[in-house]
Amino acid sequence: MTQEVRQSTPTGPEAEPELTGVRNFRDVGGLPTTDGRRVRHGVLFRSGHLAHATEKDAAFLEGLGLNTVFDFRNPDDIALEGPDTALPGTRNLNMPLNDPADSADFWDTVRDGDVPSLQAVLGEGRGAERMIAAYRKLILERTKEHARMLDLLTEPGGPAVPALLHCAAGKDRAGTSIAIILLALGVERSAIEADYLESNAKHRRYKVVRGDGSTGTAIDPQVRELLNPLFEARVEYLRAAFDTIEEHWGSVDRYLAEGLGLTPERRAGLREHLLTPG
């Protein structure tokens, strides 16, 4: 049974709609920084893809006054789910954060494989290991894309916010990108992790559809157990990204400055745009 949008526009800072065709939507406003400020409400949002947004979903999203939608899906993702529903007056930027050629066979197995084939690629902890490796790669191999994201969010005279960041499920690529922005804002690490783990809520989780059309509890329990590491938000995944920053740059400040080219001036501008006054 589908759920309708609770309201067409937000009624307050904490208002969260239940969208019919968009999973894992939320405003990250309210998260606390180490200097006592908070992320502003209404400037930074995250979600799963917008390809299945209903008219009511689209009306709600239009009401947010978004300037930019960052779509981190690759061409295979878009071919599978479809392009985002267009939002008038909003710039949609496709910025793939992974290469479909790296995992096409793997995701075919996830979608169509039987228990033995899934056991071979995901069993005995291999699924979680794959996710941890993917988060490390997002930090090490996507510095150019993340640098561009931060550049756009700090554009002089016309910042990209309010902005919505999404991938397919809104958990991994979008989750890592949101975490990078929150690190630049000085958000408390525990608050970043808590927001990331919100993706595990039942109404937020990506709707897995197998090649035979099964979904939800109709999927074989053995298969569901094998797939769980891929579709759960686990704090060790995000911490693998944080650890990679420390291992390769020594600190978040050096990663932002040297890895992503975020100057002190632009970082201060990002905080001005996205945080409440000090």
Side-chain angles (χ1 to χ4, degrees):
M1 185 177 189
T2 59
Q3 295 174 307
E4 295 298 320
V5 176
R6 187 177 294 161
Q7 66 275 329
S8 58
T9 57
T11 58
E14 290 77 32
E16 180 182 322
E18 292 181 3
L19 301 172
T20 302
V22 179
R23 306 288 284 187
N24 208 6
F25 173 87
R26 59 191 179 275
D27 183 343
V28 300
L31 299 183
T33 64
T34 56
D35 65 0
R37 292 186 283 177
R38 290 186 179 272
V39 179
R40 293 179 187 271
H41 288 282
V43 294
L44 192 62
F45 304 90
R46 58 182 295 174
S47 75
H49 68 77
L50 310 184
H52 301 163
T54 66
E55 289 185 10
K56 288 186 177 181
D57 295 343
F60 173 84
L61 294 171
E62 287 178 41
L64 299 175
L66 297 171
N67 283 331
T68 314
V69 170
F70 291 87
D71 180 355
F72 298 127
R73 296 179 298 162
N74 64 45
D76 279 0
D77 296 323
I78 295 172
L80 178 64
E81 302 285 5
D84 280 347
T85 296
L87 303 175
T90 301
R91 170 176 54 172
N92 190 298
L93 295 174
N94 180 232
M95 194 182 297
L97 286 183
N98 68 334
D99 183 352
D102 289 342
S103 57
D105 291 342
F106 171 79
W107 288 108
D108 284 344
T109 300
V110 169
R111 180 174 167 79
D112 302 321
D114 55 17
V115 171
S117 63
L118 289 170
Q119 181 68 38
V121 296
L122 299 175
E124 299 180 355
R126 286 184 287 272
E129 290 170 2
R130 183 183 184 89
M131 294 302 295
I132 287 171
Y135 275 65
R136 289 185 176 275
K137 288 178 68 174
L138 282 168
I139 296 298
L140 292 174
E141 299 182 7
R142 296 299 171 178
T143 51
K144 180 179 178 181
E145 289 84 354
H146 284 133
R148 184 180 176 220
M149 173 189 74
L150 292 176
D151 283 346
L152 291 167
L153 290 171
T154 57
E155 288 176 328
V161 295
L164 169 66
L165 285 68
H166 79 79
C167 49
K171 174 176 72 76
D172 304 314
R173 289 165 288 183
T176 305
S177 300
I178 286 284
I180 289 169
I181 296 168
L182 296 177
L183 288 174
L185 294 174
V187 171
E188 295 176 3
R189 191 72 60 91
S190 60
I192 298 175
E193 292 178 353
D195 172 71
Y196 168 76
L197 292 173
E198 285 290 327
S199 292
N200 284 329
K202 184 177 180 180
H203 70 287
R204 299 188 191 281
R205 289 190 57 158
Y206 183 73
K207 186 177 181 181
V208 181
V209 180
R210 297 273 285 158
D212 60 5
S214 61
T215 188
T217 56
I219 296 175
D220 183 312
Q222 285 184 277
V223 171
R224 288 207 309 273
E225 184 177 354
L226 287 165
L227 294 182
N228 271 341
L230 307 182
F231 297 103
E232 287 180 349
R234 298 185 178 180
V235 72
E236 58 263 35
Y237 300 165
L238 189 61
R239 288 178 181 172
F242 294 153
D243 290 346
T244 303
I245 289 172
E246 298 291 339
E247 291 163 7
H248 287 264
W249 284 275
S251 70
V252 168
D253 289 343
R254 284 190 60 193
Y255 165 66
L256 293 170
E258 299 174 13
L260 305 187
L262 185 64
T263 65
E265 294 77 18
R266 283 192 169 237
R267 191 172 180 183
L270 187 72
R271 292 183 173 190
E272 178 184 349
H273 290 306
L274 298 186
L275 297 181
T276 58

